[in-house]
């Protein structure tokens, strides 16, 4: 049996996994969350590539037909590296910069939120350069949101205070769109809606990325029967996280135990 691997440094990519399950409910998914090494945002590319090599070695046993890097930071640092090294299709995330610029012709500004690693990456800067003819795009790294998400803190006073402090130095009336350029941030869509002015559009790259995955797989997509999901988190087993996933992910799943933890 072949499988589709969905990868993230932790729980952010679950947002993309859910989109993929909805689009391909008969597929067999492996979710690999590198919770032992999250966050990737502040880490250098070489280390991230080594973690991704570990992931590729682990998922090999599941006969992968594609790997979805549901992680912008892994994509900008390592997609090229992985494609050169492994034969299977590697699909990366692309922050929704183009749709954000195009969605509104009022010439208001666009704010791209990402991890530190993504914000400094050549890949993001090149993407912005390509479409930002009028110089309306700003990039803002959010350093704390990934850790909050890993702790399942989605709408606490602390998270709100953190975001409000960051946005207080921006006049958000000048912006028409905010791009969620890190899959962890997608968990905060509702909170962003509450904090940001109503006219600000929130865009993420999940739907486009899953469409790209579907295009790559073409006729190899399983379209009949029940799908399956196995989840492997590399870090210590956390029952709160597993409960959260059982309540949130629209498919039942088996846990794949880590060799180091959780036995
Ligand atoms: N979810 C990831 C991203 O999309 C990475 C977050 C992190 O580990 O720093 O960038």
């Amino acid at each position: 049996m072949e499988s589709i691997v969905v990868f993230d440094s932790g729980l952010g990519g679950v947002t993309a996994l859910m989109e993929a399950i909805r689009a391909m409910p008969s597929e067999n998914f492996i979710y690999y969350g590198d919770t032992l090494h999250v966050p990737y945002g502040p880490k250098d590319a070489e280390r991230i590539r080594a973690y991704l090599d570990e992931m590729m070695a682990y998922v090999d046993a599941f006969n992968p037909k594609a790997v979805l890097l549901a992680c912008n930071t892994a994509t900008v640092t390592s997609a090229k590296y992985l494609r050169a090294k492994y034969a299977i299709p590697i699909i990366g995330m692309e922050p929704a910069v183009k749709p954000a610029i195009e969605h509104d012709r009022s010439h208001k500004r666009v704010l791209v939120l990402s991890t530190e690693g993504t914000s400094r990456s050549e890949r993001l800067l090149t993407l912005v350069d390509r479409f930002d003819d009028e110089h309306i795009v700003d990039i803002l790294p959010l350093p704390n949101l990934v850790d909050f998400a890993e702790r399942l803190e989605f709408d606490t006073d602390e998270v709100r205070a953190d975001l409000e402090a960051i946005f207080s130095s921006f006049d958000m009336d000048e912006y028409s769109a905010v791009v969620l350029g890190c899959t962890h941030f997608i968990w905060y869509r509702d909170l962003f809606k509450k904090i940001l002015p109503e006219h600000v559009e929130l865009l993420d790259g999940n739907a486009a990325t899953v469409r790209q995955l579907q295009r790559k797989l073409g006729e190899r997509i399983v379209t009949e029967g029940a799908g399956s999901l196995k989840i492997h988190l590399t870090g210590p087993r956390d029952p709160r996280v597993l409960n959260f996933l059982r309540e949130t992910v629209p498919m039942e799943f088996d846990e794949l135990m880590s060799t180091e933890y959780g036995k």
Side-chain angles (χ1 to χ4, degrees), residues 8-9 38-41 71-73 115 146 182-184:
D8 183 39
S9 59
V38 69
Y40 277 16
C71 174
N72 294 267
T73 313
T115 64
V146 171
C182 166
T183 48
H184 279 78

Side-chain angles (χ1 to χ4, degrees), residues 1-4 20-29 65 220-229 250-251:
M1 188 171 76
E2 290 185 315
S3 59
I4 296 175
I21 289 173
R22 282 191 281 266
M24 296 173 280
S26 298
E27 266 299 347
N28 302 297
F29 293 96
K65 59 183 170 186
R220 293 174 69 195
I221 298 174
V222 181
T223 52
E224 276 172 24
S228 70
L229 170 63
M251 192 184 260

Side-chain angles (χ1 to χ4, degrees), residues 15-249:
T15 61
L17 170 71
M18 297 198 297
E19 185 93 30
I21 289 173
R22 282 191 281 266
M24 296 173 280
S26 298
E27 266 299 347
N28 302 297
F29 293 96
I30 306 288
Y31 184 82
Y32 185 108
D34 195 5
T35 49
L36 187 60
H37 300 120
V38 69
Y40 277 16
K43 296 193 170 72
D44 63 53
E46 211 173 313
R47 252 172 91 186
I48 294 172
R49 287 175 193 156
Y51 297 148
L52 287 163
D53 278 330
E54 279 174 33
M55 178 273 291
M56 293 300 283
Y58 180 88
V59 301
D60 193 47
F62 301 96
N63 209 6
K65 59 183 170 186
V67 175
L68 174 60
L69 295 178
C71 174
N72 294 267
T73 313
T75 302
V76 297
T77 55
S78 316
K80 257 196 201 152
Y81 164 84
L82 294 174
R83 286 182 190 129
K85 190 162 176 181
Y86 302 94
I88 53 170
I90 310 279
I91 292 91
M93 296 291 303
E94 180 155 302
V97 172
K98 183 172 179 254
I101 292 173
E102 287 173 353
H103 102 281
D104 173 5
R105 285 284 160 210
S106 64
H107 308 282
K108 281 197 166 188
R109 304 192 68 77
V110 167
L111 188 60
V112 179
L113 305 177
S114 73
T115 64
E116 286 162 72
T118 302
S119 72
R120 307 188 236 100
S121 71
E122 213 180 294
R123 189 171 159 137
L124 177 62
L125 300 179
T126 310
L127 177 71
V128 170
D129 255 12
R130 214 161 90 216
F131 299 108
D132 188 17
D133 299 338
E134 295 178 42
H135 306 284
I136 55 168
V137 176
D138 298 312
I139 300 172
L140 174 67
L142 295 183
N144 302 324
L145 220 45
V146 171
D147 289 335
F148 280 129
E150 291 296 315
R151 295 202 298 266
L152 306 179
E153 287 186 38
F154 297 119
D155 189 356
T156 60
D157 291 345
E158 219 186 323
V159 181
R160 269 176 183 257
D162 183 73
L163 289 178
E164 278 164 0
I166 288 168
F167 287 123
S168 68
S169 49
F170 288 82
D171 178 2
M172 289 310 294
D173 284 335
E174 284 184 14
Y175 290 83
S176 65
V178 166
V179 175
L180 305 176
C182 166
T183 48
H184 279 78
F185 300 174
I186 299 170
W187 290 118
Y188 294 91
R189 197 171 250 286
D190 291 345
L191 185 58
F192 282 124
K193 276 214 174 104
K194 286 185 212 163
I195 289 177
L196 296 173
E198 215 175 305
H199 71 270
V200 174
E201 191 85 24
L202 289 168
L203 295 136
D204 69 68
N206 274 354
T209 306
V210 169
R211 280 198 300 275
Q212 173 67 359
L213 171 65
Q214 289 176 291
R215 270 195 296 273
K216 282 271 172 203
L217 289 171
E219 288 180 0
R220 293 174 69 195
I221 298 174
V222 181
T223 52
E224 276 172 24
S228 70
L229 170 63
K230 292 183 170 60
I231 293 187
H232 176 62
L233 301 176
T234 56
R237 189 172 185 278
D238 182 345
R240 277 182 64 239
V241 166
L242 291 161
N243 282 342
F244 168 73
L245 294 174
R246 294 214 186 277
E247 281 166 14
T248 316
V249 177

